[in-house]
Amino acid sequence: MACHCYFIFTVIAMLFATTSFSDAQNCNGVLVSYAYTGGVRLPPNVTDAAKQPYRFQSTVTVLNNGLDELKSWQVYVGFQHDELLVSASNVVLADGTTLPAAVGNGTVFAGYPMTDLKTAVETAGDLTQMEAQIQLVGTVFGVAPPSIPLPSSIKLANDGFQCVKTTGQGKNGTNVCCTKDPNFKTNITTDDKYLLRQNGDLTIMYDVIKTDDSNYWAEVTMENHNPLGRLDNWELSWDWMNDEFIYTMKGAYPSVVDVSDCVFGKKGTFYQSLDFSTVLNCQKRPTIIDLPPTKFNDTVLGKVPFCCRNGTILPSSMDPSKSVSKFQMQVFKTPPNINRSMLSPPQNWQINGTLNPTYKCGPPIRVSPTANPDPSGLPSEIVVMASWQVVCNITKAKGTASKCCVSFSAYYNESVIPCKTCACGCPSNTARNCSTTAPALWLPSDALLVPFDNRSAKAIAWADLKHLPLSKPMPCSDNCGVSINWHLNTDYTNGWSARVTLFNWGDTNFADWFAAVEMDKAAAGFEKMYSFNATTLALDGVNNTIFMQGLEGLNYLVAEADGANPLNDPRVPGKQQSVISFKKKPTPGILVARGDGFPNKVFFNGEECSLPSVIPSSGSRKVPSWATLMLLSLLLIVLKQQ
């Protein structure tokens, strides 16, 4: 009885600031609560009340009152007042963003370093193992005290839970009870020690392959699972959370070799006898890059499978052996983590590439240790010490500019509909005399072969010839490094064709490039490409995408180069071109010229390209009416009788 009373009073003491005792006792699942604890006006003083900044402090509490351990807990907080989060204790942002971060559209927190919350049953009611508290500090705009900037909602973000409607806890807080969804199906049993590996566009495994008291070796494996996903010149970064540093690496290298944080910090104080001139990187957030192929057989830097490809990770449909990239590193730890069993992965992972999709990476999740084939060839496996999985998915924030664009043209219209104005972003030089909102000017076909800055005279002359409107000032360029022209080439009774031309306006060569077009009504009739390799591809169970790449030996899209006479001739883009043909029998009723012959989406190296808002008009063609055709037929009959 005394122990039971002690537990009740402990609950009251720890939860009083964020939720009521009755709520804590009545929730037989996971109780999530949010409490606003204070705020103050911040400088500067602005005239627009909606833009006045205020400091806010809040506490989020997650309490596991259920019967099962809550593994890798995550909580969603629906911030709604343009909040800028400056600090958050005991968590990281689940999308890998580092603080300070704008969270005005809501955000998901992932527990760290305590990723799992145990139950009252298995801990005899020990709240230090059952509960996590997040202390939030940030800036909110336009919500002046005594008004309280509460979130729109809070909930447990783990799969398989359903949360009842949030309830108010006075004017300063809110809470919600989340219980297991009985209809949710999972392969995980309550006895499983680790969570199952998850699916994603790109997965990263962090495997500890060797450990000692002061340091360990980790193997990092990146694997592409998206048929249109790709990375070129990848750059991988993360945050060390416990003052770790990289001593040496194989298969990759830091973009900056910097040991200043070691020499002038506590790392250097602890490792006084260590020669830091041989250390690779001591930054809290290092950036790692791949090595060139020439280093693959280097006995010091290479000799790691799937390493040393200049940072290229391809879709497995192109080459399964190039869909993986791997490196190893020796990581040194600092007190109080000087113990061979104290292993903690870095957090806030991020990976980027050149003209590639944008990836958002979740937090590392502890999974079962990876088992690798025995390198000696024996029929056995070698299990690593510990494994964590990071799942990254392709995402595109609303309003984000593309990195490539598409122009449309057709055999029945002399004008080319070019890429959109500012398709890949507006110019940073605001003094430039161009309009960022005016629609792009239609062009003659030969204008596609010259850079934008050399098109003005052609565009103006074409507008005058075709009586097209001209804006003042002229529209800005598309600012894209890669553009693709889709030209509707022919349209006949049994089939039709298009011509695809890729232009590289940048200074980067693209080896092993690929493109893809999504065609809802035409893909089923795909016949072949003549200068590219191409095949249909099923995405999400829908077979409406055509995947194309250069022929062997011709899969290199070169960068823009000087013209024959650099002083007088415009620069020349890298170019690849092929005709693509379709049959009409598999797509009855297809209206090629009315839109069905143009793609719904276009991708280059995994990046979705900006499309024109309109297709070429066939209004200039004089199509005879049915009545006219009948009159012509009658006239021919009369003439034959004479």
Side-chain angles (χ1 to χ4, degrees), residues 554-569:
L554 300 173
N555 55 350
Y556 203 76
L557 184 60
V558 299
E560 186 183 67
D562 286 333
N565 186 348
L567 295 178
N568 299 316
D569 297 337

Side-chain angles (χ1 to χ4, degrees), residues 243-444:
D243 291 312
E244 297 95 334
F245 61 92
I246 302 172
Y247 183 77
T248 188
M249 298 186 75
K250 294 174 71 67
Y253 212 71
S255 63
V256 176
V257 176
D258 183 1
V259 298
S260 57
D261 286 352
C262 285
V263 174
F264 301 108
K266 72 175 187 179
K267 305 167 191 174
T269 303
F270 180 75
Y271 290 103
Q272 292 187 10
S273 60
L274 186 67
D275 181 7
F276 281 97
S277 67
T278 60
V279 172
L280 284 184
N281 189 280
C282 295
Q283 294 174 312
K284 177 180 174 59
R285 187 170 183 82
T287 297
I288 309 302
I289 58 176
D290 197 12
L291 296 174
T294 54
K295 296 295 182 182
F296 181 79
N297 290 317
D298 190 299
T299 55
V300 176
L301 297 175
K303 295 292 185 180
V304 175
F306 307 111
C307 85
C308 314
R309 293 178 178 147
N310 279 331
T312 297
I313 303 178
L314 300 177
S316 58
S317 56
M318 287 185 70
D319 188 338
S321 69
K322 293 183 179 179
S323 66
V324 180
S325 190
K326 185 177 292 190
F327 64 87
Q328 297 174 354
M329 61 181 176
Q330 186 179 15
V331 179
F332 271 68
K333 302 180 291 184
T334 56
N337 299 311
I338 303 301
N339 185 307
R340 69 180 58 200
S341 64
M342 296 187 70
L343 303 168
S344 178
Q347 301 288 320
N348 302 328
W349 291 68
Q350 185 176 18
I351 189 164
N352 299 309
T354 303
L355 211 158
N356 296 132
T358 300
Y359 291 86
K360 284 286 187 180
C361 300
I365 302 298
R366 186 75 180 266
V367 294
S368 60
T370 300
N372 296 313
D374 192 318
S376 68
L378 293 174
S380 62
E381 293 180 329
I382 298 177
V383 179
V384 303
M385 307 294 176
S387 296
W388 288 264
Q389 184 194 43
V390 177
V391 177
C392 305
N393 287 307
I394 296 172
T395 182
K396 190 169 186 177
K398 187 177 180 180
T400 303
S402 299
K403 300 174 185 176
C404 54
C405 65
V406 178
S407 61
F408 285 158
S409 56
Y411 67 90
Y412 51 76
N413 195 313
E414 293 179 319
S415 295
V416 174
I417 299 176
C419 293
K420 286 183 178 179
T421 302
C422 296
C424 298
C426 291
S428 56
N429 182 8
T430 56
R432 181 172 178 175
N433 188 25
C434 69
S435 172
T436 59
T437 57
L441 297 178
W442 291 11
L443 302 169

Side-chain angles (χ1 to χ4, degrees), residues 109-357:
F109 295 104
Y112 180 83
M114 189 165 71
T115 59
D116 304 332
L117 297 180
K118 296 185 179 297
T119 68
V121 173
E122 63 182 327
T123 64
D126 183 357
L127 283 175
T128 62
Q129 300 182 68
M130 296 166 55
E131 179 196 71
Q133 285 199 336
I134 312 169
Q135 303 298 332
L136 304 177
V137 177
T139 302
V140 64
F141 294 90
V143 185
S147 297
I148 307 299
L150 291 179
S152 60
S153 64
I154 56 173
K155 64 180 180 180
L156 189 69
N158 294 64
D159 292 336
F161 283 84
Q162 54 186 7
C163 301
V164 299
K165 185 178 180 181
T166 53
T167 58
Q169 187 60 45
K171 68 176 184 178
N172 287 3
T174 182
N175 59 59
V176 63
C177 182
C178 302
T179 55
K180 286 197 170 183
D181 183 354
N183 297 320
F184 181 78
K185 295 181 179 180
T186 177
N187 294 325
I188 302 174
T189 66
T190 56
D191 296 329
D192 287 341
K193 187 176 181 180
Y194 305 106
L195 291 176
L196 294 178
R197 285 167 166 78
Q198 302 297 306
N199 297 321
D201 293 326
L202 181 83
T203 57
I204 304 174
M205 290 302 304
Y206 191 85
D207 296 323
V208 176
I209 57 177
K210 182 180 179 182
T211 182
D212 205 342
D213 286 345
S214 62
N215 67 88
Y216 66 87
W217 274 90
E219 184 172 76
V220 179
T221 305
M222 296 164 280
E223 188 168 0
N224 180 18
H225 303 284
N226 188 303
L228 294 181
R230 178 188 176 119
L231 283 163
D232 294 284
N233 303 304
W234 59 254
E235 294 184 350
L236 181 66
S237 56
W238 59 70
D239 285 333
W240 293 117
M241 307 301 285
N242 299 298
D243 291 312
E244 297 95 334
F245 61 92
I246 302 172
Y247 183 77
T248 188
M249 298 186 75
K250 294 174 71 67
Y253 212 71
S255 63
V256 176
V257 176
D258 183 1
V259 298
S260 57
D261 286 352
C262 285
V263 174
F264 301 108
K266 72 175 187 179
K267 305 167 191 174
T269 303
F270 180 75
Y271 290 103
Q272 292 187 10
S273 60
L274 186 67
D275 181 7
F276 281 97
S277 67
T278 60
V279 172
L280 284 184
N281 189 280
C282 295
Q283 294 174 312
K284 177 180 174 59
R285 187 170 183 82
T287 297
I288 309 302
I289 58 176
D290 197 12
L291 296 174
T294 54
K295 296 295 182 182
F296 181 79
N297 290 317
D298 190 299
T299 55
V300 176
L301 297 175
K303 295 292 185 180
V304 175
F306 307 111
C307 85
C308 314
R309 293 178 178 147
N310 279 331
T312 297
I313 303 178
L314 300 177
S316 58
S317 56
M318 287 185 70
D319 188 338
S321 69
K322 293 183 179 179
S323 66
V324 180
S325 190
K326 185 177 292 190
F327 64 87
Q328 297 174 354
M329 61 181 176
Q330 186 179 15
V331 179
F332 271 68
K333 302 180 291 184
T334 56
N337 299 311
I338 303 301
N339 185 307
R340 69 180 58 200
S341 64
M342 296 187 70
L343 303 168
S344 178
Q347 301 288 320
N348 302 328
W349 291 68
Q350 185 176 18
I351 189 164
N352 299 309
T354 303
L355 211 158
N356 296 132

